[in-house]
Amino acid sequence: MYNINDMKKTVESFIQLVRSIYKEDFIALHRPVFEGNEKAYLSDCIDSNFVSSVGEQVAEFEKKIAEFTGSKYAIATVNGTSALHVATELSGVNQGDEVLTQALTFIATCNAISYKNANPVFIDVDKDTMGMSPVALLDFLENHAEKHNGTTINIKTKKRISACIPMHTFGHPCRIEQIASICNEWDIPLIEDCAESLGSYVGNKHTGNFGDMAIFSFNGNKLVTTGGGGMIITNNSEIARLAKHVTTTAKVPHAYEFIHDQVGYNYRMPNINAALGCAQMEQIEKFLKSKRNLAYTWKQFFESHNIDFVEECDGYKANFWLNAIILDSKKSRDEFLEETNKNDVMTRPIWKLMSSLQMFKHCQNDGLVNSKWLVDRVVNIPSSVPDNILNNRKL
Ligand SMILES: *Cc1c(COP(=O)(O)O)cnc(C)c1O
């Protein structure tokens, strides 16, 4: 058990270090940086009147994300949740189905499943990646599911398992190659929730290229922000065509008639948001580099204070979107949260498990041993791109 006086001292020197890196009075977990062409591109939108759902910046931003992630197609949406909603729909998730996902995730993942009137089934995570465990996934399928006429059925509930949505927690890639091969074997469509993992790789492959499609978020607290925004990426031309179609009101091109051939969504990203995104993408390499240096600084500090800092797994490259530490007990965690927040240094516990929220309490889970362990111990620490330039040290 961590001694409380030790903890007080540790937090004191942590706060000192934090304040040597960030000059703001209140230090946020993740604030945006606008040091590039943001204002110029926004002005162009206003001067040209193209501020809304039509405009060149949307296509430009999509192109930039496709290029950066190495994905064939990218379709911009109004936020990450809407991208997840449409991805779930395009995977063929229907009313009453089940979708395998993590209990340790942000609410958007499970909300999107619920919008299709389907239920999440919660699979445990690995302790080191904090993302879906392929061992737990395979164990669940082998013990609770069977293949039936080309689909996978949950033996207990008799429901169809129609998708799997793992999430790359805080930008640390989960074991997605193993998950992809299990999904492939069981004929389960795979959607990667990459909302937090822009700039994170497994080997040389960007996250989001391992399944049928993936989504990103450009909310204000993400690595790259458009104010609010999202993106679907895929390497499948038919999925790409459908994704563009249903997110843009399912309008059939015509010189002047309004023809819509199905119920679609107005999930279009406005041009002004895309303009912001274009300016942000010009700086992404700088953001990633400086966040890596920051992670190295945190790692050194916490290692010297005998606190676990969440690092990259071998062969994986994290974007270090939100840095995380693992305290030795809930008591030390609460102590750390209390002392830092009291001093205007924002730190946060990880999310409550989705399986503990009243909307999802009834959903099946596999026991969630690692998820429960992590929930009591993980704390996010300030992770914004620092305003002073850190040295070029490597993690
Ligand atoms: C941010 C986030 C989303 C999407 O959020 P939006 O605010 O709708 O853009 C989805 N999943 C996870 C894990 C996230 O962190």
Side-chain angles (χ1 to χ4, degrees):
M1 170 57 64
Y2 212 78
N3 179 301
I4 288 222
N5 287 326
D6 284 353
M7 180 55 94
K8 282 224 162 86
K9 271 193 216 136
T10 299
V11 174
E12 222 170 84
S13 30
F14 176 61
I15 290 170
Q16 248 177 28
L17 178 60
V18 171
R19 293 208 173 277
S20 74
I21 293 171
Y22 300 106
K23 300 306 175 197
E24 298 100 315
D25 290 333
F26 175 81
I27 293 152
L29 216 49
H30 206 284
R31 55 115 177 83
V33 173
F34 302 119
E35 286 184 346
N37 289 318
E38 284 87 354
K39 282 183 182 163
Y41 294 173
L42 286 173
S43 282
D44 290 347
C45 291
I46 292 168
D47 292 345
S48 69
N49 286 340
F50 282 100
V51 294
S52 193
S53 47
V54 176
E56 286 173 0
Q57 296 294 318
V58 177
E60 184 59 30
F61 185 49
E62 290 174 335
K63 192 170 141 227
K64 280 189 150 66
I65 293 294
E67 272 170 16
F68 183 79
T69 59
S71 186
K72 277 198 188 136
Y73 308 98
I75 299 93
T77 60
V78 73
N79 55 42
T81 307
S82 58
L84 268 171
H85 179 194
V86 167
T88 309
E89 178 164 312
L90 294 181
S91 296
V93 176
N94 287 319
Q95 179 156 357
D97 286 354
E98 291 180 345
V99 176
L100 306 175
T101 189
Q102 305 173 196
L104 195 70
T105 184
F106 177 60
I107 187 77
T109 322
C110 293
N111 279 343
I113 296 166
S114 301
Y115 298 161
K116 295 306 300 173
N117 295 312
N119 277 320
V121 170
F122 298 114
I123 305 296
D124 203 10
V125 296
D126 284 325
K127 262 191 192 172
D128 53 356
T129 68
M130 300 175 292
M132 186 183 281
S133 159
V135 173
L137 175 65
L138 188 60
D139 184 73
F140 180 86
L141 287 168
E142 284 179 343
N143 290 299
H144 299 280
E146 62 186 13
K147 285 201 210 176
H148 191 74
N149 292 340
T151 58
T152 297
I153 305 287
N154 182 327
I155 296 168
K156 188 168 130 200
T157 61
K158 306 278 182 265
K159 305 279 193 195
R160 195 168 75 101
I161 297 172
S162 52
C164 177
I165 315 184
M167 199 272 284
H168 302 291
T169 306
F170 305 142
H172 289 281
C174 65
R175 293 192 164 77
I176 193 65
E177 289 171 303
Q178 291 89 325
I179 290 170
S181 84
I182 294 166
C183 286
N184 202 24
E185 191 157 313
W186 284 80
D187 294 323
I188 301 172
L190 174 59
I191 303 166
E192 292 175 71
D193 184 340
C194 296
E196 307 183 353
S197 72
L198 186 65
S200 302
Y201 298 79
V202 170
N204 291 324
K205 206 166 165 181
H206 196 287
T207 50
N209 286 300
F210 294 86
D212 299 276
M213 58 198 117
I215 71 96
F216 291 96
S217 165
F218 306 105
N219 191 40
N221 62 344
K222 296 288 174 13
L223 177 79
V224 158
T225 187
T226 58
M231 191 78 72
I232 299 171
I233 63 165
T234 180
N235 290 299
N236 178 313
S237 61
E238 184 57 11
I239 290 176
R241 188 188 66 77
L242 285 169
K244 194 63 179 175
H245 191 58
V246 300
T247 54
T248 56
T249 72
K251 189 172 186 295
V252 180
H254 190 282
Y256 46 84
E257 294 277 14
F258 291 99
I259 307 164
H260 303 265
D261 62 0
Q262 69 175 93
V263 175
Y265 303 99
N266 179 11
Y267 283 170
R268 296 173 294 196
M269 175 185 279
N271 203 47
I272 45 174
N273 298 84
L276 204 53
C278 287
Q280 289 266 287
M281 282 307 286
E282 292 170 356
Q283 303 161 79
I284 190 168
E285 297 297 349
K286 185 178 83 182
F287 292 170
L288 287 168
K289 195 169 166 196
S290 104
K291 284 171 76 75
R292 177 163 292 270
N293 287 334
L294 175 68
Y296 181 82
T297 305
W298 290 159
K299 173 181 139 82
Q300 297 249 299
F301 175 85
F302 287 104
E303 274 181 4
S304 71
H305 288 84
N306 289 319
I307 293 174
D308 244 9
F309 174 80
V310 179
E311 290 189 63
E312 287 165 313
C313 296
D314 276 352
Y316 293 10
K317 196 166 173 202
N319 62 3
F320 291 101
W321 170 57
L322 280 191
N323 291 288
I325 55 172
I326 304 182
L327 280 308
D328 65 352
S329 67
K330 188 165 187 292
K331 195 155 171 285
S332 330
R333 180 201 76 164
D334 292 343
E335 186 69 23
F336 188 90
L337 288 168
E338 184 69 34
E339 286 296 314
T340 44
N341 284 291
K342 205 167 71 189
N343 285 286
D344 285 341
V345 170
M346 188 170 168
T347 60
R348 286 289 179 268
I350 200 165
W351 315 280
K352 294 247 179 287
L353 292 186
M354 294 298 113
S355 51
S356 72
L357 303 182
Q358 55 100 1
M359 315 79 89
F360 302 118
K361 257 188 190 146
H362 66 285
C363 300
Q364 194 173 357
N365 71 66
D366 68 0
L368 307 171
V369 176
N370 291 340
S371 307
K372 286 175 183 164
W373 188 89
L374 287 166
V375 146
D376 284 342
R377 292 169 178 79
V378 174
V379 171
N380 287 128
I381 55 177
S383 302
S384 313
V385 171
D387 28 34
N388 52 343
I389 309 295
L390 287 164
N391 314 332
N392 253 340
R393 289 168 304 196
K394 288 263 178 315
L395 183 70

